């Protein structure tokens, strides 16, 4: 899992591997919440950047038939704003 800043949002880069989808979670300062279930790499988080700099964190896990499989990714952090 990698995160890159684009002018349109944060790009979450991932590889499909063996799974049907990737379940992505984000923490914008209040704990991790579900962001998306993405079936095709890569995912663009289009939430508007805050005015003041902030650190957003992402983590993900693979999905097969709507069940989480494998281990959680490492948490990736990126400064936005």
């Amino acid at each position: 899992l990698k995160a890159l800043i684009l002018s349109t949002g944060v790009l979450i880069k991932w590889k499909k591997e063996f799974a049907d989808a990737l379940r992505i979670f984000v923490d914008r300062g209040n704990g991790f919440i579900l962001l998306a279930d993405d079936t095709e790499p890569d995912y663009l988080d289009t939430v508007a950047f805050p005015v003041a700099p902030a650190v957003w964190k992402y983590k993900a896990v693979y999905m097969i038939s709507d069940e989480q499989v494998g281990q959680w990714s490492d948490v990736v952090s990126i400064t936005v704003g």
Side-chain angles (χ1 to χ4, degrees):
L1 200 64
K2 294 181 182 179
L4 304 169
I5 293 182
L6 303 179
S7 62
T8 53
V10 176
L11 182 66
I12 305 302
K13 295 187 66 68
W14 64 280
K15 295 181 183 179
K16 186 141 185 179
E17 303 284 333
F18 58 87
D20 298 331
L22 187 73
R23 180 160 283 171
I24 305 168
F25 290 78
V26 63
D27 177 357
R28 294 189 174 96
N30 295 314
F32 281 98
I33 60 168
L34 179 62
L35 176 62
D37 286 341
D38 191 25
T39 58
E40 293 295 326
D42 297 310
Y43 181 80
L44 183 62
D45 181 358
T46 58
V47 170
F49 295 150
V51 175
V55 175
W56 289 357
K57 299 175 184 176
Y58 296 88
K59 68 179 182 178
V61 65
Y62 283 117
M63 304 288 293
I64 295 178
S65 299
D66 295 326
E67 297 290 328
Q68 293 183 12
V69 295
Q71 296 181 354
W72 284 94
S73 69
D74 290 336
V75 174
V76 294
S77 299
I78 193 160
T79 301
V80 298

